[in-house]
Amino acid sequence: MYICKPERSVFQTRVLLFTCVLVTLSLFFISTVITNYSAFVEFCGFASLMLSILFVVRYSLTEFEYSVCDNGFSVTKIVGNKRQVVCNVALETAVDLLKKRDYDHLPSNQKAIIKYSLNQNIKADSYVFLCEFNGKRTMIEFEPNNEFVAILKNEIKQAKANDENDI
């Protein structure tokens, strides 16, 4: 079993937290100063608060762990003490493992219909795991390190070779 846990960008997390707090508090303060539009500005403040909670939980409190074992690629989502396997894909179904920018340049008929973004950081140097899932092309975007990419590519080759030998 090979496990990869991406590093969190501390700068990005601090900027995200600071921006969320600043925007939300500013909107609530402005709603007390400008009384003509206070209901609308308070509504915007509540919307900002909800979006802030969403972004903070998704990009600050959530961690992802990528693993390869038993001819399968899996992603585990960790929030606090709770661990949840969000994806477990057989390597035989893999089409390719590409950098995100290479995937963006593919023709539209080779791109995925079903898309999952399992990045831990907002602007990550990510890879795309293309596979066939229930007859549809699926992409899983994630941010592994270079060693894990090499291991995953090797495991995909071995799984495909074993699958061809079994046929």
Side-chain angles (χ1 to χ4, degrees):
M1 174 189 265
Y2 302 101
I3 297 175
C4 175
K5 196 169 190 178
E7 292 183 29
R8 180 173 311 284
S9 170
V10 176
F11 175 74
Q12 173 187 298
T13 304
R14 288 180 180 165
V15 168
L16 178 69
L17 291 172
F18 178 75
T19 303
C20 289
V21 168
L22 183 69
V23 168
T24 304
L25 287 178
S26 297
L27 285 170
F28 283 122
F29 177 74
I30 290 170
S31 73
T32 61
V33 174
I34 302 174
T35 57
N36 292 342
Y37 300 106
S38 67
F40 177 71
V41 177
E42 278 184 9
F43 174 75
C44 291
F46 282 117
S48 172
L49 179 63
M50 290 186 313
L51 288 173
S52 296
I53 291 170
L54 177 86
F55 281 123
V56 167
V57 169
R58 172 64 173 89
Y59 293 108
S60 294
L61 301 177
T62 302
E63 295 179 334
F64 287 101
E65 186 177 271
Y66 315 119
S67 63
V68 176
C69 68
D70 299 331
N71 288 333
F73 169 67
S74 66
V75 180
T76 305
K77 178 177 158 183
I78 304 166
V79 180
N81 291 331
K82 183 180 175 188
R83 300 175 65 87
Q84 177 183 10
V85 177
V86 292
C87 123
N88 192 359
V89 181
L91 293 177
E92 294 90 20
T93 64
V95 175
D96 205 356
L97 181 65
L98 306 163
K99 279 196 150 297
K100 175 71 166 123
R101 66 176 178 267
D102 295 336
Y103 172 80
D104 292 337
H105 295 302
L106 286 176
S108 61
N109 62 346
Q110 294 181 3
K111 289 190 176 182
I113 296 171
I114 303 170
K115 301 174 183 179
Y116 297 102
S117 176
L118 302 175
N119 288 339
Q120 188 167 289
N121 297 303
I122 293 173
K123 291 283 188 181
D125 185 24
S126 58
Y127 282 80
V128 172
F129 181 83
L130 275 175
C131 62
E132 294 290 329
F133 183 71
N134 291 338
K136 295 181 181 173
R137 190 167 278 214
T138 304
M139 93 171 226
I140 301 167
E141 183 181 348
F142 66 113
E143 52 178 316
N145 56 24
N146 293 331
E147 293 83 16
F148 189 78
V149 169
I151 291 169
L152 185 56
K153 284 184 178 184
N154 186 34
E155 291 288 324
I156 289 171
K157 272 188 214 171
Q158 288 179 358
K160 285 185 175 186
N162 290 341
D163 192 41
E164 288 176 4
N165 290 338
D166 290 343
I167 293 176

